[in-house]
Amino acid sequence: MAGTPEQVADRLQEWFEQGAAYGFNVMPPWLTGGFDLFADHVVPLLRPAAEPFS
């Protein structure tokens, strides 16, 4: 999947809410940096949606 952080977060949340996925394995497009970008830009957008489940 590719897109802006907002697009990626929206798609992941949509899949979760529709029951298409319960969790995700993140495979960055390159090592040493790809995961950091995901963690820094996408994860913060997903955290508010996850609060009711904690």
Side-chain angles (χ1 to χ4, degrees):
M1 161 185 334
T4 67
E6 291 82 7
Q7 291 169 329
V8 172
D10 287 347
R11 179 61 56 92
L12 293 175
Q13 184 174 348
E14 177 183 321
W15 287 350
F16 178 80
E17 289 176 352
Q18 292 179 355
Y22 183 72
F24 300 94
N25 291 319
V26 178
M27 297 179 65
W30 71 92
L31 296 176
T32 65
F35 182 80
D36 291 339
L37 288 173
F38 180 85
D40 290 344
H41 298 282
V42 177
V43 171
L45 298 173
L46 293 170
R47 282 199 172 139
E51 286 178 8
F53 298 99
S54 50

